[in-house]
Amino acid sequence: PVVGFESPLRGVVFLLLFAVGTIAAMAVYGLIAGVIVRRTADSSVNWAQWLARVTGAATVVIGLVWLLR
């Protein structure tokens, strides 16, 4: 989409906003995952460790799928 902008400034603004949105989305995802793991840890440390590992593995798999697509 950046190539289609009429001015370089619009392209730079688009990229900056895209970067900020991506960082914000990652932060929200991390916050939600952290809250879930923390609440799970309150009831069972083993479940919390398992959940953290599964979440980490799923994140890596999703990232690889996106890269290889």
Side-chain angles (χ1 to χ4, degrees), residues 8-36:
L9 178 61
R10 286 187 180 185
V12 170
V13 169
F14 173 82
L15 290 175
L16 288 173
L17 290 174
F18 182 81
V20 168
T22 301
I23 292 168
M26 287 184 206
V28 169
Y29 170 77
L31 178 67
I32 291 170
V35 167
I36 291 170

mmCIF file with all atom_site columns, all heavy atoms in Angstrom, residues 8-36:
data_model
loop_
_atom_site.group_PDB
_atom_site.id
_atom_site.type_symbol
_atom_site.label_atom_id
_atom_site.label_alt_id
_atom_site.label_comp_id
_atom_site.label_asym_id
_atom_site.label_entity_id
_atom_site.label_seq_id
_atom_site.pdbx_PDB_ins_code
_atom_site.Cartn_x
_atom_site.Cartn_y
_atom_site.Cartn_z
_atom_site.occupancy
_atom_site.B_iso_or_equiv
_atom_site.pdbx_formal_charge
_atom_site.auth_seq_id
_atom_site.auth_comp_id
_atom_site.auth_asym_id
_atom_site.auth_atom_id
_atom_site.pdbx_PDB_model_num
ATOM 1   N N   . PRO A 1 8  ? 5.755  10.889  -0.300 1.00 0.00 ? 8  PRO A N   1
ATOM 2   C CA  . PRO A 1 8  ? 6.553  10.074  0.620  1.00 0.00 ? 8  PRO A CA  1
ATOM 3   C C   . PRO A 1 8  ? 6.142  10.270  2.086  1.00 0.00 ? 8  PRO A C   1
ATOM 4   O O   . PRO A 1 8  ? 6.206  9.337   2.875  1.00 0.00 ? 8  PRO A O   1
ATOM 5   C CB  . PRO A 1 8  ? 7.983  10.556  0.395  1.00 0.00 ? 8  PRO A CB  1
ATOM 6   C CG  . PRO A 1 8  ? 7.991  11.187  -0.951 1.00 0.00 ? 8  PRO A CG  1
ATOM 7   C CD  . PRO A 1 8  ? 6.602  11.732  -1.144 1.00 0.00 ? 8  PRO A CD  1
ATOM 8   N N   . LEU A 1 9  ? 5.694  11.480  2.417  1.00 0.00 ? 9  LEU A N   1
ATOM 9   C CA  . LEU A 1 9  ? 5.282  11.752  3.797  1.00 0.00 ? 9  LEU A CA  1
ATOM 10  C C   . LEU A 1 9  ? 4.111  10.860  4.204  1.00 0.00 ? 9  LEU A C   1
ATOM 11  O O   . LEU A 1 9  ? 4.092  10.308  5.304  1.00 0.00 ? 9  LEU A O   1
ATOM 12  C CB  . LEU A 1 9  ? 4.911  13.226  3.965  1.00 0.00 ? 9  LEU A CB  1
ATOM 13  C CG  . LEU A 1 9  ? 4.425  13.628  5.361  1.00 0.00 ? 9  LEU A CG  1
ATOM 14  C CD1 . LEU A 1 9  ? 5.532  13.375  6.385  1.00 0.00 ? 9  LEU A CD1 1
ATOM 15  C CD2 . LEU A 1 9  ? 3.994  15.078  5.368  1.00 0.00 ? 9  LEU A CD2 1
ATOM 16  N N   . ARG A 1 10 ? 3.152  10.704  3.319  1.00 0.00 ? 10 ARG A N   1
ATOM 17  C CA  . ARG A 1 10 ? 2.011  9.833   3.623  1.00 0.00 ? 10 ARG A CA  1
ATOM 18  C C   . ARG A 1 10 ? 2.462  8.386   3.811  1.00 0.00 ? 10 ARG A C   1
ATOM 19  O O   . ARG A 1 10 ? 1.956  7.674   4.663  1.00 0.00 ? 10 ARG A O   1
ATOM 20  C CB  . ARG A 1 10 ? 0.953  9.911   2.529  1.00 0.00 ? 10 ARG A CB  1
ATOM 21  C CG  . ARG A 1 10 ? 0.174  11.168  2.569  1.00 0.00 ? 10 ARG A CG  1
ATOM 22  C CD  . ARG A 1 10 ? -0.965 11.128  1.597  1.00 0.00 ? 10 ARG A CD  1
ATOM 23  N NE  . ARG A 1 10 ? -1.718 12.370  1.657  1.00 0.00 ? 10 ARG A NE  1
ATOM 24  C CZ  . ARG A 1 10 ? -2.805 12.603  1.000  1.00 0.00 ? 10 ARG A CZ  1
ATOM 25  N NH1 . ARG A 1 10 ? -3.299 11.678  0.197  1.00 0.00 ? 10 ARG A NH1 1
ATOM 26  N NH2 . ARG A 1 10 ? -3.422 13.755  1.111  1.00 0.00 ? 10 ARG A NH2 1
ATOM 27  N N   . GLY A 1 11 ? 3.412  7.959   3.011  1.00 0.00 ? 11 GLY A N   1
ATOM 28  C CA  . GLY A 1 11 ? 3.948  6.608   3.158  1.00 0.00 ? 11 GLY A CA  1
ATOM 29  C C   . GLY A 1 11 ? 4.632  6.419   4.496  1.00 0.00 ? 11 GLY A C   1
ATOM 30  O O   . GLY A 1 11 ? 4.448  5.404   5.165  1.00 0.00 ? 11 GLY A O   1
ATOM 31  N N   . VAL A 1 12 ? 5.410  7.397   4.918  1.00 0.00 ? 12 VAL A N   1
ATOM 32  C CA  . VAL A 1 12 ? 6.103  7.324   6.206  1.00 0.00 ? 12 VAL A CA  1
ATOM 33  C C   . VAL A 1 12 ? 5.092  7.334   7.352  1.00 0.00 ? 12 VAL A C   1
ATOM 34  O O   . VAL A 1 12 ? 5.215  6.563   8.310  1.00 0.00 ? 12 VAL A O   1
ATOM 35  C CB  . VAL A 1 12 ? 7.118  8.483   6.350  1.00 0.00 ? 12 VAL A CB  1
ATOM 36  C CG1 . VAL A 1 12 ? 7.653  8.568   7.756  1.00 0.00 ? 12 VAL A CG1 1
ATOM 37  C CG2 . VAL A 1 12 ? 8.257  8.310   5.356  1.00 0.00 ? 12 VAL A CG2 1
ATOM 38  N N   . VAL A 1 13 ? 4.092  8.194   7.267  1.00 0.00 ? 13 VAL A N   1
ATOM 39  C CA  . VAL A 1 13 ? 3.057  8.244   8.306  1.00 0.00 ? 13 VAL A CA  1
ATOM 40  C C   . VAL A 1 13 ? 2.330  6.906   8.390  1.00 0.00 ? 13 VAL A C   1
ATOM 41  O O   . VAL A 1 13 ? 2.067  6.394   9.485  1.00 0.00 ? 13 VAL A O   1
ATOM 42  C CB  . VAL A 1 13 ? 2.069  9.407   8.052  1.00 0.00 ? 13 VAL A CB  1
ATOM 43  C CG1 . VAL A 1 13 ? 0.858  9.309   8.961  1.00 0.00 ? 13 VAL A CG1 1
ATOM 44  C CG2 . VAL A 1 13 ? 2.775  10.744  8.229  1.00 0.00 ? 13 VAL A CG2 1
ATOM 45  N N   . PHE A 1 14 ? 2.003  6.328   7.242  1.00 0.00 ? 14 PHE A N   1
ATOM 46  C CA  . PHE A 1 14 ? 1.350  5.020   7.232  1.00 0.00 ? 14 PHE A CA  1
ATOM 47  C C   . PHE A 1 14 ? 2.210  3.981   7.928  1.00 0.00 ? 14 PHE A C   1
ATOM 48  O O   . PHE A 1 14 ? 1.723  3.219   8.765  1.00 0.00 ? 14 PHE A O   1
ATOM 49  C CB  . PHE A 1 14 ? 1.057  4.583   5.791  1.00 0.00 ? 14 PHE A CB  1
ATOM 50  C CG  . PHE A 1 14 ? 0.540  3.172   5.689  1.00 0.00 ? 14 PHE A CG  1
ATOM 51  C CD1 . PHE A 1 14 ? -0.794 2.906   5.902  1.00 0.00 ? 14 PHE A CD1 1
ATOM 52  C CD2 . PHE A 1 14 ? 1.399  2.121   5.402  1.00 0.00 ? 14 PHE A CD2 1
ATOM 53  C CE1 . PHE A 1 14 ? -1.285 1.604   5.823  1.00 0.00 ? 14 PHE A CE1 1
ATOM 54  C CE2 . PHE A 1 14 ? 0.928  0.821   5.322  1.00 0.00 ? 14 PHE A CE2 1
ATOM 55  C CZ  . PHE A 1 14 ? -0.419 0.560   5.532  1.00 0.00 ? 14 PHE A CZ  1
ATOM 56  N N   . LEU A 1 15 ? 3.497  3.923   7.589  1.00 0.00 ? 15 LEU A N   1
ATOM 57  C CA  . LEU A 1 15 ? 4.389  2.947   8.202  1.00 0.00 ? 15 LEU A CA  1
ATOM 58  C C   . LEU A 1 15 ? 4.518  3.159   9.707  1.00 0.00 ? 15 LEU A C   1
ATOM 59  O O   . LEU A 1 15 ? 4.541  2.193   10.482 1.00 0.00 ? 15 LEU A O   1
ATOM 60  C CB  . LEU A 1 15 ? 5.767  2.992   7.539  1.00 0.00 ? 15 LEU A CB  1
ATOM 61  C CG  . LEU A 1 15 ? 5.824  2.454   6.114  1.00 0.00 ? 15 LEU A CG  1
ATOM 62  C CD1 . LEU A 1 15 ? 7.204  2.672   5.519  1.00 0.00 ? 15 LEU A CD1 1
ATOM 63  C CD2 . LEU A 1 15 ? 5.441  0.989   6.066  1.00 0.00 ? 15 LEU A CD2 1
ATOM 64  N N   . LEU A 1 16 ? 4.598  4.408   10.134 1.00 0.00 ? 16 LEU A N   1
ATOM 65  C CA  . LEU A 1 16 ? 4.689  4.692   11.571 1.00 0.00 ? 16 LEU A CA  1
ATOM 66  C C   . LEU A 1 16 ? 3.423  4.262   12.306 1.00 0.00 ? 16 LEU A C   1
ATOM 67  O O   . LEU A 1 16 ? 3.490  3.644   13.378 1.00 0.00 ? 16 LEU A O   1
ATOM 68  C CB  . LEU A 1 16 ? 4.963  6.178   11.804 1.00 0.00 ? 16 LEU A CB  1
ATOM 69  C CG  . LEU A 1 16 ? 6.364  6.653   11.460 1.00 0.00 ? 16 LEU A CG  1
ATOM 70  C CD1 . LEU A 1 16 ? 6.457  8.177   11.575 1.00 0.00 ? 16 LEU A CD1 1
ATOM 71  C CD2 . LEU A 1 16 ? 7.393  5.983   12.352 1.00 0.00 ? 16 LEU A CD2 1
ATOM 72  N N   . LEU A 1 17 ? 2.269  4.584   11.728 1.00 0.00 ? 17 LEU A N   1
ATOM 73  C CA  . LEU A 1 17 ? 1.010  4.176   12.359 1.00 0.00 ? 17 LEU A CA  1
ATOM 74  C C   . LEU A 1 17 ? 0.861  2.654   12.379 1.00 0.00 ? 17 LEU A C   1
ATOM 75  O O   . LEU A 1 17 ? 0.368  2.083   13.357 1.00 0.00 ? 17 LEU A O   1
ATOM 76  C CB  . LEU A 1 17 ? -0.180 4.828   11.656 1.00 0.00 ? 17 LEU A CB  1
ATOM 77  C CG  . LEU A 1 17 ? -0.313 6.335   11.859 1.00 0.00 ? 17 LEU A CG  1
ATOM 78  C CD1 . LEU A 1 17 ? -1.449 6.893   10.997 1.00 0.00 ? 17 LEU A CD1 1
ATOM 79  C CD2 . LEU A 1 17 ? -0.531 6.668   13.319 1.00 0.00 ? 17 LEU A CD2 1
ATOM 80  N N   . PHE A 1 18 ? 1.289  2.022   11.301 1.00 0.00 ? 18 PHE A N   1
ATOM 81  C CA  . PHE A 1 18 ? 1.244  0.557   11.254 1.00 0.00 ? 18 PHE A CA  1
ATOM 82  C C   . PHE A 1 18 ? 2.134  -0.036  12.345 1.00 0.00 ? 18 PHE A C   1
ATOM 83  O O   . PHE A 1 18 ? 1.741  -0.975  13.045 1.00 0.00 ? 18 PHE A O   1
ATOM 84  C CB  . PHE A 1 18 ? 1.699  0.067   9.878  1.00 0.00 ? 18 PHE A CB  1
ATOM 85  C CG  . PHE A 1 18 ? 1.626  -1.426  9.732  1.00 0.00 ? 18 PHE A CG  1
ATOM 86  C CD1 . PHE A 1 18 ? 0.421  -2.039  9.441  1.00 0.00 ? 18 PHE A CD1 1
ATOM 87  C CD2 . PHE A 1 18 ? 2.757  -2.212  9.886  1.00 0.00 ? 18 PHE A CD2 1
ATOM 88  C CE1 . PHE A 1 18 ? 0.337  -3.421  9.306  1.00 0.00 ? 18 PHE A CE1 1
ATOM 89  C CE2 . PHE A 1 18 ? 2.694  -3.587  9.757  1.00 0.00 ? 18 PHE A CE2 1
ATOM 90  C CZ  . PHE A 1 18 ? 1.476  -4.195  9.463  1.00 0.00 ? 18 PHE A CZ  1
ATOM 91  N N   . ALA A 1 19 ? 3.320  0.528   12.525 1.00 0.00 ? 19 ALA A N   1
ATOM 92  C CA  . ALA A 1 19 ? 4.240  0.048   13.562 1.00 0.00 ? 19 ALA A CA  1
ATOM 93  C C   . ALA A 1 19 ? 3.654  0.249   14.953 1.00 0.00 ? 19 ALA A C   1
ATOM 94  O O   . ALA A 1 19 ? 3.710  -0.652  15.802 1.00 0.00 ? 19 ALA A O   1
ATOM 95  C CB  . ALA A 1 19 ? 5.584  0.762   13.448 1.00 0.00 ? 19 ALA A CB  1
ATOM 96  N N   . VAL A 1 20 ? 3.076  1.414   15.205 1.00 0.00 ? 20 VAL A N   1
ATOM 97  C CA  . VAL A 1 20 ? 2.472  1.689   16.514 1.00 0.00 ? 20 VAL A CA  1
ATOM 98  C C   . VAL A 1 20 ? 1.306  0.731   16.771 1.00 0.00 ? 20 VAL A C   1
ATOM 99  O O   . VAL A 1 20 ? 1.163  0.192   17.871 1.00 0.00 ? 20 VAL A O   1
ATOM 100 C CB  . VAL A 1 20 ? 2.012  3.162   16.605 1.00 0.00 ? 20 VAL A CB  1
ATOM 101 C CG1 . VAL A 1 20 ? 1.135  3.398   17.819 1.00 0.00 ? 20 VAL A CG1 1
ATOM 102 C CG2 . VAL A 1 20 ? 3.226  4.086   16.645 1.00 0.00 ? 20 VAL A CG2 1
ATOM 103 N N   . GLY A 1 21 ? 0.489  0.497   15.759 1.00 0.00 ? 21 GLY A N   1
ATOM 104 C CA  . GLY A 1 21 ? -0.627 -0.435  15.910 1.00 0.00 ? 21 GLY A CA  1
ATOM 105 C C   . GLY A 1 21 ? -0.162 -1.854  16.179 1.00 0.00 ? 21 GLY A C   1
ATOM 106 O O   . GLY A 1 21 ? -0.736 -2.564  17.008 1.00 0.00 ? 21 GLY A O   1
ATOM 107 N N   . THR A 1 22 ? 0.900  -2.272  15.500 1.00 0.00 ? 22 THR A N   1
ATOM 108 C CA  . THR A 1 22 ? 1.448  -3.611  15.711 1.00 0.00 ? 22 THR A CA  1
ATOM 109 C C   . THR A 1 22 ? 1.989  -3.757  17.128 1.00 0.00 ? 22 THR A C   1
ATOM 110 O O   . THR A 1 22 ? 1.731  -4.758  17.807 1.00 0.00 ? 22 THR A O   1
ATOM 111 C CB  . THR A 1 22 ? 2.562  -3.894  14.684 1.00 0.00 ? 22 THR A CB  1
ATOM 112 O OG1 . THR A 1 22 ? 2.004  -3.784  13.374 1.00 0.00 ? 22 THR A OG1 1
ATOM 113 C CG2 . THR A 1 22 ? 3.143  -5.271  14.873 1.00 0.00 ? 22 THR A CG2 1
ATOM 114 N N   . ILE A 1 23 ? 2.732  -2.764  17.585 1.00 0.00 ? 23 ILE A N   1
ATOM 115 C CA  . ILE A 1 23 ? 3.285  -2.798  18.942 1.00 0.00 ? 23 ILE A CA  1
ATOM 116 C C   . ILE A 1 23 ? 2.166  -2.806  19.976 1.00 0.00 ? 23 ILE A C   1
ATOM 117 O O   . ILE A 1 23 ? 2.222  -3.549  20.966 1.00 0.00 ? 23 ILE A O   1
ATOM 118 C CB  . ILE A 1 23 ? 4.246  -1.617  19.160 1.00 0.00 ? 23 ILE A CB  1
ATOM 119 C CG1 . ILE A 1 23 ? 5.492  -1.804  18.293 1.00 0.00 ? 23 ILE A CG1 1
ATOM 120 C CG2 . ILE A 1 23 ? 4.623  -1.471  20.626 1.00 0.00 ? 23 ILE A CG2 1
ATOM 121 C CD1 . ILE A 1 23 ? 6.376  -0.582  18.198 1.00 0.00 ? 23 ILE A CD1 1
ATOM 122 N N   . ALA A 1 24 ? 1.132  -1.994  19.762 1.00 0.00 ? 24 ALA A N   1
ATOM 123 C CA  . ALA A 1 24 ? 0.005  -1.960  20.697 1.00 0.00 ? 24 ALA A CA  1
ATOM 124 C C   . ALA A 1 24 ? -0.708 -3.310  20.749 1.00 0.00 ? 24 ALA A C   1
ATOM 125 O O   . ALA A 1 24 ? -1.069 -3.797  21.826 1.00 0.00 ? 24 ALA A O   1
ATOM 126 C CB  . ALA A 1 24 ? -0.976 -0.854  20.307 1.00 0.00 ? 24 ALA A CB  1
ATOM 127 N N   . ALA A 1 25 ? -0.899 -3.931  19.591 1.00 0.00 ? 25 ALA A N   1
ATOM 128 C CA  . ALA A 1 25 ? -1.560 -5.238  19.552 1.00 0.00 ? 25 ALA A CA  1
ATOM 129 C C   . ALA A 1 25 ? -0.731 -6.288  20.287 1.00 0.00 ? 25 ALA A C   1
ATOM 130 O O   . ALA A 1 25 ? -1.275 -7.111  21.037 1.00 0.00 ? 25 ALA A O   1
ATOM 131 C CB  . ALA A 1 25 ? -1.800 -5.672  18.110 1.00 0.00 ? 25 ALA A CB  1
ATOM 132 N N   . MET A 1 26 ? 0.590  -6.261  20.104 1.00 0.00 ? 26 MET A N   1
ATOM 133 C CA  . MET A 1 26 ? 1.451  -7.211  20.807 1.00 0.00 ? 26 MET A CA  1
ATOM 134 C C   . MET A 1 26 ? 1.404  -6.979  22.315 1.00 0.00 ? 26 MET A C   1
ATOM 135 O O   . MET A 1 26 ? 1.417  -7.939  23.100 1.00 0.00 ? 26 MET A O   1
ATOM 136 C CB  . MET A 1 26 ? 2.895  -7.076  20.316 1.00 0.00 ? 26 MET A CB  1
ATOM 137 C CG  . MET A 1 26 ? 3.137  -7.634  18.949 1.00 0.00 ? 26 MET A CG  1
ATOM 138 S SD  . MET A 1 26 ? 4.888  -7.506  18.590 1.00 0.00 ? 26 MET A SD  1
ATOM 139 C CE  . MET A 1 26 ? 4.861  -7.452  16.835 1.00 0.00 ? 26 MET A CE  1
ATOM 140 N N   . ALA A 1 27 ? 1.362  -5.721  22.708 1.00 0.00 ? 27 ALA A N   1
ATOM 141 C CA  . ALA A 1 27 ? 1.303  -5.403  24.137 1.00 0.00 ? 27 ALA A CA  1
ATOM 142 C C   . ALA A 1 27 ? 0.002  -5.913  24.760 1.00 0.00 ? 27 ALA A C   1
ATOM 143 O O   . ALA A 1 27 ? 0.008  -6.488  25.855 1.00 0.00 ? 27 ALA A O   1
ATOM 144 C CB  . ALA A 1 27 ? 1.444  -3.901  24.351 1.00 0.00 ? 27 ALA A CB  1
ATOM 145 N N   . VAL A 1 28 ? -1.103 -5.720  24.062 1.00 0.00 ? 28 VAL A N   1
ATOM 146 C CA  . VAL A 1 28 ? -2.397 -6.197  24.568 1.00 0.00 ? 28 VAL A CA  1
ATOM 147 C C   . VAL A 1 28 ? -2.407 -7.722  24.645 1.00 0.00 ? 28 VAL A C   1
ATOM 148 O O   . VAL A 1 28 ? -2.860 -8.300  25.642 1.00 0.00 ? 28 VAL A O   1
ATOM 149 C CB  . VAL A 1 28 ? -3.562 -5.674  23.693 1.00 0.00 ? 28 VAL A CB  1
ATOM 150 C CG1 . VAL A 1 28 ? -4.870 -6.360  24.043 1.00 0.00 ? 28 VAL A CG1 1
ATOM 151 C CG2 . VAL A 1 28 ? -3.688 -4.171  23.849 1.00 0.00 ? 28 VAL A CG2 1
ATOM 152 N N   . TYR A 1 29 ? -1.880 -8.377  23.616 1.00 0.00 ? 29 TYR A N   1
ATOM 153 C CA  . TYR A 1 29 ? -1.791 -9.841  23.626 1.00 0.00 ? 29 TYR A CA  1
ATOM 154 C C   . TYR A 1 29 ? -0.955 -10.317 24.814 1.00 0.00 ? 29 TYR A C   1
ATOM 155 O O   . TYR A 1 29 ? -1.350 -11.228 25.538 1.00 0.00 ? 29 TYR A O   1
ATOM 156 C CB  . TYR A 1 29 ? -1.180 -10.341 22.322 1.00 0.00 ? 29 TYR A CB  1
ATOM 157 C CG  . TYR A 1 29 ? -0.829 -11.803 22.347 1.00 0.00 ? 29 TYR A CG  1
ATOM 158 C CD1 . TYR A 1 29 ? -1.814 -12.769 22.212 1.00 0.00 ? 29 TYR A CD1 1
ATOM 159 C CD2 . TYR A 1 29 ? 0.486  -12.224 22.544 1.00 0.00 ? 29 TYR A CD2 1
ATOM 160 C CE1 . TYR A 1 29 ? -1.500 -14.120 22.254 1.00 0.00 ? 29 TYR A CE1 1
ATOM 161 C CE2 . TYR A 1 29 ? 0.808  -13.564 22.584 1.00 0.00 ? 29 TYR A CE2 1
ATOM 162 C CZ  . TYR A 1 29 ? -0.185 -14.501 22.435 1.00 0.00 ? 29 TYR A CZ  1
ATOM 163 O OH  . TYR A 1 29 ? 0.126  -15.828 22.481 1.00 0.00 ? 29 TYR A OH  1
ATOM 164 N N   . GLY A 1 30 ? 0.192  -9.691  25.018 1.00 0.00 ? 30 GLY A N   1
ATOM 165 C CA  . GLY A 1 30 ? 1.053  -10.066 26.136 1.00 0.00 ? 30 GLY A CA  1
ATOM 166 C C   . GLY A 1 30 ? 0.384  -9.825  27.481 1.00 0.00 ? 30 GLY A C   1
ATOM 167 O O   . GLY A 1 30 ? 0.517  -10.628 28.410 1.00 0.00 ? 30 GLY A O   1
ATOM 168 N N   . LEU A 1 31 ? -0.335 -8.732  27.590 1.00 0.00 ? 31 LEU A N   1
ATOM 169 C CA  . LEU A 1 31 ? -1.044 -8.422  28.833 1.00 0.00 ? 31 LEU A CA  1
ATOM 170 C C   . LEU A 1 31 ? -2.119 -9.466  29.120 1.00 0.00 ? 31 LEU A C   1
ATOM 171 O O   . LEU A 1 31 ? -2.225 -9.973  30.242 1.00 0.00 ? 31 LEU A O   1
ATOM 172 C CB  . LEU A 1 31 ? -1.673 -7.035  28.744 1.00 0.00 ? 31 LEU A CB  1
ATOM 173 C CG  . LEU A 1 31 ? -2.482 -6.586  29.951 1.00 0.00 ? 31 LEU A CG  1
ATOM 174 C CD1 . LEU A 1 31 ? -1.571 -6.398  31.153 1.00 0.00 ? 31 LEU A CD1 1
ATOM 175 C CD2 . LEU A 1 31 ? -3.211 -5.292  29.647 1.00 0.00 ? 31 LEU A CD2 1
ATOM 176 N N   . ILE A 1 32 ? -2.895 -9.797  28.117 1.00 0.00 ? 32 ILE A N   1
ATOM 177 C CA  . ILE A 1 32 ? -3.952 -10.797 28.303 1.00 0.00 ? 32 ILE A CA  1
ATOM 178 C C   . ILE A 1 32 ? -3.354 -12.166 28.652 1.00 0.00 ? 32 ILE A C   1
ATOM 179 O O   . ILE A 1 32 ? -3.823 -12.838 29.573 1.00 0.00 ? 32 ILE A O   1
ATOM 180 C CB  . ILE A 1 32 ? -4.842 -10.886 27.044 1.00 0.00 ? 32 ILE A CB  1
ATOM 181 C CG1 . ILE A 1 32 ? -5.656 -9.598  26.895 1.00 0.00 ? 32 ILE A CG1 1
ATOM 182 C CG2 . ILE A 1 32 ? -5.769 -12.099 27.103 1.00 0.00 ? 32 ILE A CG2 1
ATOM 183 C CD1 . ILE A 1 32 ? -6.376 -9.464  25.571 1.00 0.00 ? 32 ILE A CD1 1
ATOM 184 N N   . ALA A 1 33 ? -2.312 -12.562 27.930 1.00 0.00 ? 33 ALA A N   1
ATOM 185 C CA  . ALA A 1 33 ? -1.658 -13.840 28.233 1.00 0.00 ? 33 ALA A CA  1
ATOM 186 C C   . ALA A 1 33 ? -1.091 -13.837 29.643 1.00 0.00 ? 33 ALA A C   1
ATOM 187 O O   . ALA A 1 33 ? -1.202 -14.825 30.380 1.00 0.00 ? 33 ALA A O   1
ATOM 188 C CB  . ALA A 1 33 ? -0.561 -14.132 27.214 1.00 0.00 ? 33 ALA A CB  1
ATOM 189 N N   . GLY A 1 34 ? -0.491 -12.728 30.042 1.00 0.00 ? 34 GLY A N   1
ATOM 190 C CA  . GLY A 1 34 ? 0.064  -12.627 31.393 1.00 0.00 ? 34 GLY A CA  1
ATOM 191 C C   . GLY A 1 34 ? -1.001 -12.725 32.479 1.00 0.00 ? 34 GLY A C   1
ATOM 192 O O   . GLY A 1 34 ? -0.801 -13.383 33.496 1.00 0.00 ? 34 GLY A O   1
ATOM 193 N N   . VAL A 1 35 ? -2.123 -12.070 32.253 1.00 0.00 ? 35 VAL A N   1
ATOM 194 C CA  . VAL A 1 35 ? -3.221 -12.129 33.228 1.00 0.00 ? 35 VAL A CA  1
ATOM 195 C C   . VAL A 1 35 ? -3.748 -13.557 33.345 1.00 0.00 ? 35 VAL A C   1
ATOM 196 O O   . VAL A 1 35 ? -3.985 -14.059 34.453 1.00 0.00 ? 35 VAL A O   1
ATOM 197 C CB  . VAL A 1 35 ? -4.353 -11.151 32.833 1.00 0.00 ? 35 VAL A CB  1
ATOM 198 C CG1 . VAL A 1 35 ? -5.620 -11.418 33.630 1.00 0.00 ? 35 VAL A CG1 1
ATOM 199 C CG2 . VAL A 1 35 ? -3.892 -9.714  33.026 1.00 0.00 ? 35 VAL A CG2 1
ATOM 200 N N   . ILE A 1 36 ? -3.905 -14.229 32.218 1.00 0.00 ? 36 ILE A N   1
ATOM 201 C CA  . ILE A 1 36 ? -4.410 -15.600 32.252 1.00 0.00 ? 36 ILE A CA  1
ATOM 202 C C   . ILE A 1 36 ? -3.441 -16.524 32.981 1.00 0.00 ? 36 ILE A C   1
ATOM 203 O O   . ILE A 1 36 ? -3.841 -17.320 33.834 1.00 0.00 ? 36 ILE A O   1
ATOM 204 C CB  . ILE A 1 36 ? -4.686 -16.107 30.817 1.00 0.00 ? 36 ILE A CB  1
ATOM 205 C CG1 . ILE A 1 36 ? -5.877 -15.352 30.221 1.00 0.00 ? 36 ILE A CG1 1
ATOM 206 C CG2 . ILE A 1 36 ? -4.931 -17.611 30.799 1.00 0.00 ? 36 ILE A CG2 1
ATOM 207 C CD1 . ILE A 1 36 ? -6.089 -15.591 28.748 1.00 0.00 ? 36 ILE A CD1 1
#
